[in-house]
């Protein structure tokens, strides 16, 4: 649903035409005041009123909407508009108070996959960095349909959006993390890593890293579920983001292995071979690709050190740090701006000629000039 914004150009012209540049304030005539209020009311949107209208539509049964000619695309557009409104934390709170949160969660069970995916997107915006909204969604049992869509929806796009909403819901939310763990969330994450969708894999890896940073004790759990071998496989992915995320997760496991062994001797050999293959691939990169793979080079080197207690071959080959990567940015301003102290010192530079040296008389030209 496209909406025109305020007529800023018209308001600017009006403001300029009523300003003489000398007075700080000017009394408006009744006619001008009436025109201004009508212009503002005509061009602005009452957000709460719009959210109430959207809530009314969300509460209307799907069959009734279809009979009135409302299409699934119309519903998606409506949810797009709602997502824009709830980007404001205050509006996200108001969504619950006007009764819109429950029907929004109901759309997670829509028969249309695009609507299920879009509803998860809106939920993600509602709860992101918003503890109160996270609490409200948990109280409304919003975790259940999100988990259902994440684990078993036939559409991988819906599963990916649901995972994104879950990630936003449980971040910095201890009760959310506990509910996710109790619902076998780690098993679902393992299945996501085995998906063919690169985007799904990336989101799963990012959530795993967060969960491990919050609960180091979960390393034993993911070891039992077979995560290390899956991550080693993903460390050879053709997608650079997946590779880096997998290497980052393996690094977390490797640094904690002294207390909680997560790999067997056979897995250690496999990991070493994977790292050697990555080092070979990095060494064959062009200069441009090496620059783009800076983080991957550092991860491979750190993981090699964690596993073998020695620098990686990347260090020996001079590929860990390229020329100029750690150099400060070029100074392009000093040639135009002279430091004050330097300028002051320049003014005090003594005349190189001795004071007692006789100065030559100026050569005068023209009529009347004397020697």
């Amino acid at each position: 649903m496209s909406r025109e914004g305020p007529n800023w150009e018209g308001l600017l012209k009006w403001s300029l035409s009523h300003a003489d540049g000398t007075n700080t304030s000017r009394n408006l005539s009744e006619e001008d005041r009436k025109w201004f209020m009508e212009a503002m009311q005509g061009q602005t949107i009452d957000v709460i009123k719009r959210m109430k209208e959207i809530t009314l539509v969300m509460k209307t049964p799907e069959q009734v909407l279809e009979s009135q000619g409302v299409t699934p695309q119309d519903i998606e557009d409506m949810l797009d508009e709602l997502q824009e409104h709830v980007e404001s934390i205050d509006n996200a709170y108001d969504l619950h108070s006007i009764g819109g949160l429950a029907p929004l969660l109901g759309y997670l069970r829509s028969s249309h996959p695009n609507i299920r995916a879009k509803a998860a997107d809106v939920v993600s915006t509602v709860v992101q960095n918003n503890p109160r909204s996270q609490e409200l969604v948990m109280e409304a049992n919003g975790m259940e349909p999100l988990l259902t869509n994440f684990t078993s929806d036939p559409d991988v796009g819906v599963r990916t959006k649901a995972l994104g909403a879950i990630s936003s819901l449980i971040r910095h939310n201890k009760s959310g993390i506990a509910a996710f763990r109790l619902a076998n969330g780690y098993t679902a994450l393992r299945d996501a890593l085995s998906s063919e969708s690169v985007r799904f894999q990336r989101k799963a890896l990012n959530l795993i890293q967060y969960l491990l940073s919050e609960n180091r004790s979960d390393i034993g759990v993911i070891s039992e579920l077979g995560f290390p071998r899956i991550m080693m496989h993903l460390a050879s992915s053709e997608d650079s983001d997946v590779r880096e995320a997998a290497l980052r997760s393996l690094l977390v496991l490797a640094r904690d292995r002294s207390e909680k062994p997560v790999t067997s001797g056979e897995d250690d050999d496999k990991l070493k071979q994977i790292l050697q293959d990555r080092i070979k691939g990095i060494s064959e990169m062009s200069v441009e690709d090496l620059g783009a793979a800076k983080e991957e080079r550092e991860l491979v080197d750190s993981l090699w050190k964690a596993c073998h207690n020695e620098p990686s071959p990347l260090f020996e080959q001079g590929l860990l740090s390229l020329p100029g990567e750690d150099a400060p940015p070029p100074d392009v301003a000093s040639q135009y701006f002279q430091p004050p102290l330097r300028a002051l010192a320049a003014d005090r530079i003594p005349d190189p000629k001795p004071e007692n040296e006789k100065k030559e008389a100026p050569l005068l030209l023209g009529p009347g000039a004397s020697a």
Side-chain angles (χ1 to χ4, degrees):
M1 296 180 181
S2 60
R3 308 182 307 282
E4 295 183 358
N7 184 9
W8 298 117
E9 183 179 358
L11 293 177
L12 177 60
K13 290 181 179 179
W14 180 89
S15 300
L16 293 175
S17 65
H18 288 75
D20 57 11
T22 58
N23 298 326
T24 57
S25 63
R26 181 180 184 275
N27 293 327
L28 298 177
S29 67
E30 188 61 30
E31 182 180 358
D32 290 338
R33 188 184 302 277
K34 182 180 179 181
W35 179 92
F36 182 79
M37 294 304 297
E38 289 178 352
M40 292 298 293
Q41 292 174 1
Q43 295 292 340
T44 58
I45 296 176
D46 186 336
V47 174
I48 298 302
K49 180 182 178 182
R50 285 294 299 147
M51 290 173 60
K52 288 181 179 179
E53 293 172 351
I54 293 173
T55 295
L56 183 61
V57 175
M58 291 193 297
K59 289 181 176 180
T60 304
E62 186 176 321
Q63 298 82 357
V64 176
L65 294 176
E66 290 179 355
S67 67
Q68 297 298 319
V70 178
T71 66
Q73 183 61 54
D74 293 331
I75 300 297
E76 290 178 53
D77 293 341
M78 180 190 71
L79 291 175
D80 275 329
E81 180 185 348
L82 180 61
Q83 186 172 13
E84 292 180 12
H85 296 323
V86 297
E87 286 177 355
S88 163
I89 291 181
D90 292 337
N91 292 343
Y93 292 151
D94 291 334
L95 182 64
H96 171 71
S97 63
I98 65 177
L101 182 59
L104 171 63
L105 297 176
Y107 270 151
L108 294 171
R109 297 184 172 92
S110 170
S111 59
H112 302 281
N114 289 346
I115 294 179
R116 296 197 299 272
K118 192 62 204 178
D121 242 355
V122 180
V123 172
S124 180
T125 302
V126 168
V127 300
Q128 190 170 19
N129 300 320
N130 192 336
R132 177 55 181 158
S133 292
Q134 289 176 335
E135 182 181 353
L136 292 173
V137 171
M138 294 295 294
E139 291 175 356
N141 200 25
M143 177 71 85
E144 181 181 349
L146 287 173
L147 282 170
T148 299
N149 290 357
F150 166 46
T151 58
S152 57
D153 198 283
D155 189 296
V156 69
V158 175
R159 297 181 67 191
T160 304
K161 293 292 187 180
L163 176 55
I166 291 172
S167 180
S168 297
L169 178 60
I170 69 177
R171 283 182 182 270
H172 311 295
N173 179 4
K174 292 183 178 180
S175 62
I177 292 176
F180 181 77
R181 296 175 79 250
L182 289 174
N184 293 324
Y186 276 119
T187 302
L189 286 173
R190 181 192 60 187
D191 296 339
L193 293 182
S194 302
S195 168
E196 295 182 358
S197 170
V198 171
R199 190 159 176 254
F200 200 25
Q201 292 172 348
R202 285 199 301 260
K203 284 187 175 292
L205 286 167
N206 290 334
L207 182 54
I208 291 168
Q209 292 166 33
Y210 171 76
L211 291 173
L212 291 181
S213 68
E214 292 292 307
N215 300 281
R216 306 289 292 187
S217 59
D218 286 353
I219 289 180
V221 176
I222 68 171
S223 175
E224 295 176 0
L225 291 174
F227 276 77
R229 290 195 175 189
I230 299 176
M231 290 175 180
M232 283 190 283
H233 173 72
L234 294 178
S236 300
S237 171
E238 294 182 0
D239 184 84
S240 59
D241 291 332
V242 171
R243 284 200 310 271
E244 291 177 8
L247 290 169
R248 201 174 296 113
S249 298
L250 287 170
L251 182 59
V252 173
L253 302 180
R255 287 174 172 171
D256 204 74
R257 64 187 298 172
S258 59
E259 299 179 5
K260 305 178 185 66
V262 295
T263 58
S264 63
E266 181 181 350
D267 289 338
D268 288 341
D269 294 338
K270 183 177 180 180
L271 178 57
K272 183 177 182 179
Q273 182 61 51
I274 290 173
L275 292 176
Q276 288 175 336
D277 292 341
R278 288 309 313 141
I279 291 171
K280 180 181 178 182
I282 291 172
S283 65
E284 296 174 351
M285 288 182 177
S286 65
V287 176
E288 292 78 8
D289 292 338
L290 282 172
K294 184 176 188 297
E295 185 173 359
E296 182 179 359
R297 287 183 280 130
E298 293 174 348
L299 285 170
V300 169
D301 181 71
S302 298
L303 188 53
W304 185 282
K305 288 179 181 177
C307 295
H308 305 292
N309 297 318
E310 63 181 12
S312 73
L314 286 177
F315 178 80
E316 299 173 359
Q317 298 174 18
L319 297 175
L320 185 57
S321 179
L322 300 181
E325 281 187 337
D326 298 327
D331 182 7
V332 296
S334 62
Q335 56 181 320
Y336 303 106
F337 300 98
Q338 191 175 36
L341 291 178
R342 185 183 301 174
L344 181 62
D347 292 338
R348 295 182 177 179
I349 295 177
D351 190 345
K353 296 183 179 180
E355 293 183 359
N356 58 358
E357 181 179 348
K358 183 179 179 179
K359 297 184 178 180
E360 296 182 359
L363 179 62
L364 302 180
L365 302 178
S370 58

